[in-house]
Amino acid sequence: NEKALLEAKQEKLRANLLRSISHDLRTPLTSISGNASVLLKDFDSLDNNKKHELYEDMYDDSMWLINLVENLLSVTRIEGGSMNLNIEHELLSEVIGEALKHINRKSVEHNIKVENNDELIMAKMDSRLIMQVIINIVDNAIKYTPEGSDITIKVNKKNGYVYTSIIDNGKGISDEGKKNLFKMFYTGGNIADSRRGLGLGLYLCKTIVNAHGGELMVKDNTPKGTIFTFSLKAQEVTLHE
């Protein structure tokens, strides 16, 4: 019975998600409440640097939680089959700019730049979901490359599609890693910061891009590093005089 099989699969997904989420929510929430408790108790005796550090940690943790929740909302919508794309014609430069505002604050340790020779490149997309794709891939690049690495976002148009590439010059990804990258809950296994654990990022990106009729690809950068590229259907720009 196909319906029963599908329901069993969705039930298993939900159980996996709940298990992962419970673990993943606990750490940043404990950290936020711990830092808030220190500030409440010792506010007058803490110097400004220490206060600033505690506020920064709380901010980072809450930004991370927001991103996690966005990912979960997206993945449950997709898995439930209710991925109603709100397709509009959007300028890629604007969507990238907006996404970069939501990047992990640790990105200041990386050189992130956008190379877009044609600011007027438009594509058909659900901008909220495509922002999520860009945030996840850039955050991933930040997480897996050393401080001071370059992360470049390039946009170009070819044969009716717009290609957005996120290029880093980090250590790169092994062929074995590339095979597993887009599986749910895969997290590369060597993350120093264990709380960044929910491996929904790239699985979700691929699912979102596929739902748009595009593709998400990964290849090696030369001499080193990784290039993620996703395609979307292009929209011709009509300028109203």
Side-chain angles (χ1 to χ4, degrees):
N1 183 337
E2 208 169 299
K3 188 164 178 277
L5 274 173
L6 183 68
E7 278 175 7
K9 183 174 169 252
Q10 288 190 338
E11 201 41 59
K12 189 170 178 224
L13 172 85
R14 266 192 290 274
N16 278 341
L17 271 175
L18 275 171
R19 208 170 40 244
S20 291
I21 299 155
S22 311
H23 172 265
D24 268 6
L25 292 177
R26 197 183 299 139
T27 317
L29 284 170
T30 305
S31 165
I32 291 169
S33 58
N35 288 345
S37 158
V38 171
L39 284 160
L40 284 167
K41 204 162 75 249
D42 306 323
F43 192 84
D44 293 332
S45 60
L46 294 168
D47 66 36
N48 282 342
N49 284 346
K50 186 62 189 167
K51 284 177 192 164
H52 193 263
E53 197 183 301
L54 291 169
Y55 284 130
E56 254 178 15
D57 283 348
M58 288 163 76
Y59 176 77
D60 282 352
D61 278 322
S62 53
M63 282 302 283
W64 185 79
L65 283 170
I66 289 166
N67 205 32
L68 170 70
V69 171
E70 287 292 335
N71 277 348
L72 288 169
L73 289 173
S74 302
V75 84
T76 45
R77 281 214 334 255
I78 294 166
E79 289 300 325
S82 63
M83 180 89 178
N84 299 323
L85 296 179
N86 180 22
I87 298 283
E88 302 274 347
H89 304 143
E90 305 280 357
L91 278 171
L92 253 144
S93 53
E94 284 180 6
V95 176
I96 292 167
E98 193 55 41
L100 290 178
K101 289 181 192 165
H102 296 269
I103 298 298
N104 186 322
R105 208 183 38 78
K106 295 200 165 36
S107 62
V108 293
E109 295 154 2
H110 291 71
N111 310 312
I112 299 179
K113 60 178 195 285
V114 180
E115 283 181 18
N116 186 355
N117 299 329
D118 180 356
E119 287 284 322
L120 293 177
I121 290 182
M122 291 189 97
K124 299 174 186 177
M125 69 177 98
D126 181 323
S127 60
R128 211 175 67 85
L129 289 171
I130 293 302
M131 265 175 54
Q132 205 54 35
V133 169
I134 296 165
I135 291 167
N136 279 342
I137 297 177
V138 175
D139 266 346
N140 217 47
I142 290 167
K143 185 163 68 181
Y144 288 110
T145 59
E147 277 180 35
S149 298
D150 298 319
I151 297 170
T152 308
I153 304 175
K154 282 188 180 171
V155 180
N156 56 61
K157 201 163 96 175
K158 198 168 132 195
N159 304 334
Y161 279 87
V162 174
Y163 295 89
T164 304
S165 295
I166 293 153
I167 303 157
D168 71 59
N169 60 353
K171 293 197 298 285
I173 300 168
S174 70
D175 291 343
E176 185 56 33
K178 284 196 205 70
K179 283 209 288 277
N180 293 313
L181 267 185
F182 300 115
K183 291 180 181 163
M184 194 185 282
F185 303 134
Y186 178 75
T187 53
N190 61 343
I191 304 175
D193 184 353
S194 63
R195 76 153 188 257
R196 305 275 184 256
L198 197 69
L200 281 177
L202 292 172
Y203 163 82
L204 185 63
C205 293
K206 190 173 181 63
T207 314
I208 289 172
V209 172
N210 291 162
H212 280 77
E215 269 190 84
L216 174 58
M217 300 147 283
V218 61
K219 64 177 188 179
D220 292 330
N221 189 14
T222 47
K224 66 188 175 84
T226 306
I227 303 176
F228 282 95
T229 302
F230 66 88
S231 56
L232 293 168
K233 290 181 180 128
Q235 172 64 27
E236 290 312 316
V237 180
T238 48
L239 293 176
H240 300 292
E241 292 301 322

